[in-house]
Amino acid sequence: VFDIHEGKTRMNTTVQHYMRLISSMFTTAVQWKYLTDNPASRVGLPKMDSAEQIVLTLEEAQTMLELLEQEPIHHRTAITVLLLTGMRREEVMGLRWRHLDFEEHLISIEKAIQYVPGMGNIEGDTKTRQSRREVKAAPMVMECLKTFQDYKRKQTAEQELEWSDNDYVFGKADGKTPVPGTLTGWFKTFIRRNNLPDIHLHDLRHTAATLMIEEQCPITAVAGTLGHATPATTTTIYAHALQRASAKTANVMQNLFEKKKIS
């Protein structure tokens, strides 16, 4: 899609994000009786862009986590959450403290922060209805978030501001909406500075999904964690990872029956 105002081409996935956000706004206008119907519901969405996935190996992901220990806590925490949960950047930016259950290790994904030209960074709905979900996070993810919360509480107190569980996790102390693009820019600098594979921030989601699949996690569980509409979506996107997992399964069966034969 060509943007006549900025004179450049937008990726179809970006256009989809904009259209869903606009549709959400129109839906609210209908609910508030400013409009009688949602005009965006009659607009077809462009097809998803197909691009080659670049993922980190387990060893590369572990190296990244080790290098992050020396980085500012704000960025370190956000990247750790992205890498270990497979959440989208916009979803992580949309997290509020009330969305975190530290006792049960659960993260509720309800909203997303998206950038819209001319409007800035605003809160909207998640990418799809299925994207609104609850994710069981690894203990190290929740520990990282708890450490960050303690840091933010101290920061808030030092600035004599009032703490609220409704504040954005990755927002500023004054409660302003997070800026997703800031994290993306920092990440580019981080990987170049540390000679890491040249990946994009969204590739951390692909990395998380690929590692889950290669470790034989049920495809339904992976789809639920990623917020895909159906397991079929996950199967289509991560076909190569599934093929590798199938090869691993064959080796497991071979070893299993070889052991049985020896015994």
Side-chain angles (χ1 to χ4, degrees):
V1 177
F2 187 76
D3 188 328
I4 60 174
H5 295 293
E6 295 193 17
K8 60 183 179 182
T9 300
R10 299 284 184 187
M11 291 184 66
N12 286 353
T13 49
T14 301
V15 175
Q16 285 199 3
H17 283 309
Y18 291 164
M19 287 302 301
R20 289 193 180 95
L21 183 60
I22 292 171
S23 180
S24 174
M25 295 166 65
F26 279 134
T27 297
T28 301
V30 172
Q31 293 171 347
W32 290 354
K33 301 187 184 305
Y34 288 119
L35 295 174
T36 57
D37 72 335
N38 180 353
S41 65
R42 298 187 291 275
V43 179
L45 293 176
K47 293 182 178 180
M48 291 289 289
D49 296 297
S50 58
E52 182 181 356
Q53 294 176 7
I54 302 176
V55 300
L56 299 174
T57 64
L58 177 58
E59 291 72 22
E60 291 170 337
Q62 290 174 327
T63 297
M64 177 176 288
L65 289 175
E66 292 171 1
L67 291 169
L68 283 170
E69 293 178 4
Q70 309 302 318
E71 299 298 329
I73 189 170
H74 189 279
H75 297 310
R76 177 172 77 238
T77 305
I79 298 301
T80 299
V81 174
L82 287 167
L83 179 58
L84 272 65
T85 67
M87 290 173 63
R88 301 176 178 89
R89 180 194 66 172
E90 292 78 7
E91 295 171 342
V92 170
M93 293 295 104
L95 287 177
R96 298 176 186 267
W97 291 113
R98 61 180 170 81
H99 295 150
L100 308 180
D101 185 336
F102 290 105
E103 291 186 4
E104 299 297 329
H105 292 181
L106 294 174
I107 300 177
S108 296
I109 303 169
E110 301 178 7
K111 295 290 183 178
I113 300 296
Q114 299 176 2
Y115 173 76
V116 179
M119 299 177 66
N121 298 286
I122 61 176
E123 182 183 86
D125 290 335
T126 53
K127 187 175 182 180
T128 64
R129 181 172 57 83
Q130 290 77 15
S131 296
R132 188 182 176 95
R133 63 200 185 279
E134 197 170 62
V135 172
K136 185 78 171 182
M140 65 183 297
V141 172
M142 302 310 292
E143 290 171 7
C144 187
L145 284 166
K146 188 65 177 69
T147 299
F148 186 50
Q149 185 185 63
D150 293 340
Y151 167 81
K152 290 293 289 287
R153 282 184 179 275
K154 181 179 179 182
Q155 185 184 53
T156 300
E158 290 175 347
Q159 296 183 29
E160 299 183 348
L161 298 171
E162 185 176 350
W163 175 269
S164 172
D165 284 341
N166 200 47
D167 288 342
Y168 289 109
V169 173
F170 295 101
K172 296 182 179 180
D174 58 8
K176 288 185 178 180
T177 304
V179 181
T182 300
L183 181 63
T184 300
W186 178 87
F187 185 69
K188 289 180 181 179
T189 302
F190 167 72
I191 61 173
R192 290 170 183 168
R193 175 160 37 91
N194 289 285
N195 295 317
L196 292 169
D198 187 17
I199 64 173
H200 298 290
L201 194 64
H202 192 70
D203 293 325
L204 297 180
R205 175 174 167 84
H206 295 320
T207 295
T210 299
L211 292 176
M212 291 178 202
I213 291 170
E214 291 183 347
E215 288 303 309
Q216 308 294 307
C217 290
I219 197 66
T220 51
V222 177
T225 298
L226 297 177
H228 286 160
T230 67
T233 302
T234 312
T235 301
T236 300
I237 297 175
Y238 298 103
H240 293 301
L242 284 166
Q243 289 175 357
R244 291 194 295 272
S246 295
K248 185 176 180 179
T249 300
N251 292 332
V252 168
M253 296 301 291
Q254 175 73 19
N255 295 334
L256 177 65
F257 281 93
E258 281 185 347
K259 290 179 182 179
K260 183 68 177 178
K261 185 176 181 179
I262 294 175
S263 61

